[in-house]
Amino acid sequence: MPRPRVGPCPPPENIYEFSMDAEEAQSLHFYRKSLEKTSPLSKYIETEHQQAGLFSLSPFDASLDDGADLQKRRRKKCGKCVPCLHRENCGSCLNCLNRRTGKQICKLRKCDQLKKRRSELEVSEVQIRLFYDNTKGVVYGYTVSTSIV
DNA sequence: ATGGACGTATGT
DNA sequence: ACATACGTCCAT
């Protein structure tokens, strides 16, 4: 795998944008994972790619790992909504008062995403940006983002 | 519909 | 090992 250029900007090669469904995105992710296992340098290079911002570290991208039990894996708080930004437990909601047996986060801190049933969330498509050099036919990296309807 | 209990995934 | 809190089941 080629080395990415380090820095805040993507390398000046072509950027190819397209969308794929979640299943295709998983295949791409598995392919990347298999490359990591077969190349001794791959882990190091992967880190460089991440530092260069070429691979998405978004929660959804992480969730593409091991897609077999995607449905079973616990979701994580988004970290950006108002409830997530609350640092302190209110101490007076039912969840706070029932902390020991209830094992639930303070109601004021409950992430907006996690309030929804998983069945209410539908990933419509996955946007991919490929960074590549078409003179060499080399892909330097990609980013992944999802849209949810 | 709402809340309580609990197993256990997840991160440290 | 331990704390947190998600997912699920059950009662109301």
Side-chain angles (χ1 to χ4, degrees), chain A residues 89-91 93-107 109:
Chain A
N89 292 328
C90 75
C93 70
L94 288 171
N95 289 350
C96 280
L97 296 176
N98 200 22
R99 174 87 356 98
R100 277 274 82 83
T101 53
K103 301 177 182 174
Q104 295 299 311
I105 193 170
C106 167
K107 288 193 169 192
R109 298 178 57 214

Side-chain angles (χ1 to χ4, degrees), chain A residues 21-41:
Chain A
D21 63 30
E23 200 174 330
E24 289 174 303
Q26 271 185 28
S27 303
L28 177 60
H29 201 70
F30 285 142
Y31 177 64
R32 176 177 132 197
K33 287 290 167 192
S34 70
L35 283 181
E36 282 177 22
K37 283 181 181 164
T38 51
S39 165
L41 277 177

